[in-house]
Amino acid sequence: MGHLDDKELLERFRNPETRSYAFNLIVRKYQERLYWHIRKIVISHDDSDDVIQNTFLKVWTGLESFREDSQLFTWLYRIATNEALTFLKKKRRKFALPLVEVEQQLARTFEASPHVDGDEIQIKLQKAILTLPEKQRLVFNMKYFEELKYEEISEILGTSVGALKASFHHAVKKIEKYMDLD
Amino acid sequence: MKDLENNSDKLELLGKELPFKVPEGYFDELPTRIQNLCVGEEKKKTQVSLFQLVKAQMSLAAGFIILVGLALAGYYFIKPPADKVMLTNDDYIEIVEKHITDFDEGHLLNAVKDSREIHTPSNDMTEEMIRYLLKDNVDYVTLMEEY
C-alpha cells in the first residue's frame, strides 16, 4: 500500500474506510517536496511549519472535490504556493511593512535562525533570490532548484509558458549580477 | 531562446544545495501532527454543524421573543394605564357643561333614567325582599304601597 500511485491514493481517499490512511500516505509522499518549496518562499522553519500544516489542512478538506483535471502534485503545489504567499501578505499587514522590508527581514533570518546551515555562497544566492519580485522568485525557485517543467509551473501559477520563460530569464540575469557572475 | 529555457551555466557552478535544515526527525513526526490537526478540525466542523443546525431554531425563538417584547412595549406605551382614563363625576359634569348645546333634553332625561335604573335593586333582590317581608307577616297592601 506504500507504493500506490496518485490515482490509487485518490481512490482510497474517496473511500471513507481508507480515507485517513490514504491521506497519511499522501502526506508522507509529498511533505518534503512541499516543505522545501514553502521554505524557499517564507525562509524561516517555524513559518514553513505553520504553512505546511495549513496547506495539508486545505488538502484534507478540498481533496474530495479534486477533479483530476490536473496532476495531484501540481494541485498540491498550487495550494502550498498560495498558502505561503498569503502568509507573507498577512505578515506584511500585521507589521505594516512595505514589501522591500519584508524581504530584508527574510534575509536577516539567515543570520539569526538556528535552522540555517550552508556555506557563504549558498546564503548569498538565497539573499540574491530575495531581491527578486515575488513572481520571478517563485519561477526561479521552481525552475532552478525543483527542476519543474515550464508546463508544470504554468499549471501551478496559472501563467503562460512564454511569460514564465521571460520571468526566469530576467531572474537569472539579476542573480548573476548580484552574485558578480557577469 | 535556449538561454530563456535553460538554467544559466554560470549559476550551475553555484550548485543547488539549500542552506536550510530542519529539526531532527521533523519529517517523521509531521504526518502524525497533520493527521491530528485534520481530525481536530473535523471534530470542530461537526460541532459547528450542530450549532448551525440549532442556530435557525434559536434565531426563530429569539425573533419571536423580541417580537412579543416589542408588542407588549408598544401596547403599554400607546395605551395609558386604566386609572388615567377613569373620569370622576366632576369631569362628567364639566364635560356636559361645556358641551351642553350638543345634548338635547331627551338625551339627558334618558341618561338620568338609565343611571337610576342602574341603582335600582335587581329583580332577584326585590323578590328576595318581598319573600322576607311576607315571611315576617307584613301586610300585602302595605307591601304593594311600598313597591
Side-chain angles (χ1 to χ4, degrees), chain B:
Chain B
M1 199 64 191
K2 189 179 176 294
D3 192 32
L4 278 179
E5 288 191 25
N6 297 308
N7 289 340
S8 151
D9 291 338
K10 292 173 198 167
L11 278 182
E12 294 288 343
L13 295 172
L14 300 175
K16 293 182 181 181
E17 289 294 308
L18 292 169
F20 305 125
K21 60 178 182 180
V22 292
E24 220 179 298
Y26 175 71
F27 291 115
D28 296 329
E29 46 93 40
L30 185 62
T32 314
R33 280 203 292 135
I34 288 171
Q35 199 87 18
N36 292 340
L37 187 76
C38 294
V39 171
E41 198 64 24
E42 197 93 325
K43 277 184 190 164
K44 227 190 286 173
K45 224 167 79 180
T46 320
Q47 283 167 349
V48 170
S49 306
L50 254 169
F51 174 70
Q52 297 282 2
L53 206 72
V54 293
K55 199 175 147 191
Q57 280 96 324
M58 282 169 72
S59 312
L60 203 70
F64 181 72
I65 290 166
I66 289 169
L67 205 70
V68 169
L70 283 174
L72 283 173
Y75 175 77
Y76 284 111
F77 274 116
I78 292 164
K79 184 183 175 289
D83 57 337
K84 284 192 182 170
V85 288
M86 285 286 280
L87 295 172
T88 60
N89 276 343
D90 291 344
D91 294 327
Y92 284 122
I93 291 163
E94 199 181 335
I95 291 166
V96 171
E97 276 174 1
K98 269 187 186 171
H99 303 279
I100 193 75
T101 50
D102 297 342
F103 300 97
D104 64 15
E105 217 169 3
H107 281 135
L108 288 172
L109 283 170
N110 281 339
V112 170
K113 195 181 156 198
D114 287 348
S115 80
R116 280 198 180 157
E117 274 174 8
I118 289 164
H119 295 294
T120 306
S122 68
N123 288 339
D124 292 348
M125 192 73 167
T126 313
E127 275 174 24
E128 201 180 312
M129 285 167 78
I130 290 167
R131 269 201 304 277
Y132 173 75
L133 292 168
L134 283 170
K135 202 178 158 190
D136 280 12
N137 294 324
V138 176
D139 178 29
Y140 185 72
V141 178
T142 316
L143 195 70
M144 288 308 287
E145 276 171 8
E146 203 62 34
Y147 288 94

Side-chain angles (χ1 to χ4, degrees), chain A residues 82-147:
Chain A
N82 289 340
E83 284 298 309
L85 295 180
T86 306
F87 176 86
L88 288 184
K89 263 184 215 146
K90 276 185 193 162
K91 196 170 182 172
R92 222 167 274 152
R93 248 179 310 188
K94 190 176 169 187
F95 299 106
L97 292 170
L99 190 66
V100 182
E101 285 257 338
V102 173
E103 315 310 356
Q104 282 171 356
Q105 205 184 52
L106 293 179
R108 278 197 293 274
T109 310
F110 289 103
E111 277 99 52
S113 173
H115 300 117
V116 170
D117 179 26
D119 60 36
E120 209 178 304
I121 290 176
Q122 287 168 356
I123 291 171
K124 193 176 178 187
L125 176 58
Q126 285 303 318
K127 285 183 178 173
I129 295 167
L130 284 173
T131 63
L132 299 174
E134 193 172 83
K135 194 70 170 267
Q136 284 181 23
R137 192 147 69 96
L138 291 172
V139 177
F140 183 84
N141 279 333
M142 285 193 259
K143 187 72 190 144
Y144 182 77
F145 289 106
E146 296 161 47
E147 299 181 343

Side-chain angles (χ1 to χ4, degrees), chain A residues 149-166:
Chain A
K149 292 175 192 152
Y150 279 118
E151 288 73 20
E152 291 168 335
I153 303 172
S154 168
E155 228 174 80
I156 294 162
L157 298 180
T159 310
S160 71
V161 169
L164 292 175
K165 285 177 182 176

Side-chain angles (χ1 to χ4, degrees), chain A residues 16-17 25 28 35 46 49 51 58 61 68 75 100 103 112 114 122 134-135 137 141 145 168-169 171 177:
Chain A
E17 282 174 21
L25 291 179
R28 284 182 193 281
Y35 172 86
D46 292 336
D49 185 47
V51 175
K58 288 258 164 79
T61 50
E68 291 180 69
W75 184 74
V100 182
E103 315 310 356
Q122 287 168 356
E134 193 172 83
K135 194 70 170 267
R137 192 147 69 96
N141 279 333
F145 289 106
F168 183 68
H169 176 73
K177 195 175 172 191

